[in-house]
Amino acid sequence: MALIYPVAADSPEPEDGTDPDFAELAADLSDTWLVEVAVAEDGDDACFGPLSARAAWDLALDVDERRPGWTVSIVPLHVACTADELVAAFEDDEE
């Protein structure tokens, strides 16, 4: 599975078989998301959105299920914070 999506460093590890917390993703990063699909290394790719966090996740899972060799990324469309704040959200405090 080549599914890529942001997870804050301090997020608890999800239990097996549970969905991510879409409300937290929307509140922490963005209300709107994009799904990027890279079909091959030669630049064949596409971007779909804007979507809600849940709709982006559902679309990404559906595409990944049908084409597991493709790289599917879920990315925020807009982040209302500084670069330092963004890095801090994903940095591990144990470093």
Side-chain angles (χ1 to χ4, degrees):
M1 174 190 268
L3 182 62
I4 302 166
Y5 61 96
V7 177
D10 61 352
S11 294
E13 196 67 32
E15 294 183 29
D16 288 340
T18 60
D19 285 337
D21 186 350
F22 301 101
E24 183 178 320
L25 284 178
D28 288 350
L29 293 175
S30 180
D31 292 334
T32 51
W33 293 77
L34 298 176
V35 175
E36 295 178 345
V37 179
V39 177
E41 290 183 19
D42 63 0
D44 286 340
D45 54 2
C47 187
F48 305 98
L51 301 166
S52 69
R54 181 66 205 218
W57 180 256
D58 289 344
L59 177 60
L61 283 182
D62 287 347
V63 170
D64 184 68
E65 188 175 283
R66 287 165 177 75
R67 297 294 185 271
W70 294 357
T71 300
V72 181
S73 302
I74 303 170
V75 296
L77 180 62
H78 173 73
V79 178
C81 65
T82 66
D84 288 338
E85 292 168 330
L86 184 62
V87 168
F90 294 98
E91 236 174 19
D92 192 354
D93 289 338
E94 297 175 10
E95 292 180 359

